[in-house]
Amino acid sequence: MPNPRLATRYAKSLVDLSIERNQLEAVYADMQFLQQVVKASRDFVNLLRSPIVTADKKQSIIDAIVKNKISDLTEAFTKLLVNKGREGDMPEIVTAFIDQYNVIKDIHKVKLTTATPVGDELKDAIIAKVKREANLQNIELEAKVDESLIGGFVLEFNNNLVDASVLRDLKDISKQFKERNVFVQNIR
């Protein structure tokens, strides 16, 4: 069972230690790598959370995956998680670390969802527009494709949602027809 409070505390400890040792950027890169591993392999997450697999076996699998790919500090941290029986919380801890890093560096995540893939030129234009309109300096754009949007885009940032998709327009029209046919009333 994911525990966000625990994940935040472990991530905060790692952030503080990495700042103290001047390794924040290296540990951040390690956390991005671990996040990619977690997103790419559902089996890896299931293994971490499995009560059947022993801690030694989990540690050897983690070591095999991250060997020569992460810093000594992050490697020691993963061993601490396994020793404390908290390896199942690793995905949440990694996400919490990245979130705390973004707060420290004043980086704002912007999610762009479109019906078809967009080019770098359009991504740059969107970043520039968001910077100008929302007065944000550091933006990290995450582009995603969702064909169900049919057309247009959905933009999410700082708890704001801009939905300019064809799917939303069609849902709005459908809702208007279901309520009562407002258009027929306006004709009479």
Side-chain angles (χ1 to χ4, degrees), residues 34 37 43-67 75 78-91:
L34 288 173
V37 169
D43 291 336
F44 179 67
V45 175
N46 290 338
L47 170 94
L48 292 175
R49 295 189 173 147
S50 173
I52 299 168
V53 181
T54 64
D56 295 339
K57 188 70 173 169
K58 289 178 185 179
Q59 186 61 58
S60 65
I61 292 170
I62 292 170
D63 289 342
I65 291 172
V66 301
K67 187 174 185 175
E75 191 173 337
T78 59
K79 288 181 180 179
L80 173 77
L81 291 177
V82 172
N83 289 338
K84 295 284 186 182
R86 299 294 187 188
E87 66 277 355
D89 295 309
M90 188 183 295

Side-chain angles (χ1 to χ4, degrees), residues 6-130:
L6 178 127
T8 302
R9 287 181 180 166
Y10 271 90
K12 175 75 172 130
S13 298
L14 184 58
V15 165
D16 291 344
L17 184 61
S18 61
I19 289 172
E20 182 181 308
R21 294 189 178 180
N22 292 325
Q23 295 182 8
L24 182 62
E25 298 301 324
V27 174
Y28 173 66
D30 297 341
M31 291 297 134
Q32 287 183 313
F33 170 74
L34 288 173
Q35 189 175 51
Q36 289 173 352
V37 169
V38 165
K39 284 183 178 178
S41 176
R42 185 77 187 140
D43 291 336
F44 179 67
V45 175
N46 290 338
L47 170 94
L48 292 175
R49 295 189 173 147
S50 173
I52 299 168
V53 181
T54 64
D56 295 339
K57 188 70 173 169
K58 289 178 185 179
Q59 186 61 58
S60 65
I61 292 170
I62 292 170
D63 289 342
I65 291 172
V66 301
K67 187 174 185 175
N68 298 325
K69 294 181 183 169
I70 61 174
S71 66
D72 293 337
L73 180 60
T74 307
E75 191 173 337
F77 183 73
T78 59
K79 288 181 180 179
L80 173 77
L81 291 177
V82 172
N83 289 338
K84 295 284 186 182
R86 299 294 187 188
E87 66 277 355
D89 295 309
M90 188 183 295
E92 290 79 22
I93 293 169
V94 167
T95 301
F97 181 93
I98 291 171
D99 290 344
Q100 290 178 25
Y101 176 87
N102 288 342
V103 168
I104 290 169
K105 296 292 185 172
D106 196 32
I107 297 172
H108 301 274
K109 283 197 174 233
V110 174
K111 272 188 190 174
L112 172 67
T113 308
T114 56
T116 59
V118 294
D120 290 336
E121 191 175 303
L122 183 58
K123 288 178 187 177
D124 292 341
I126 289 170
I127 289 172
K129 179 81 171 173
V130 171

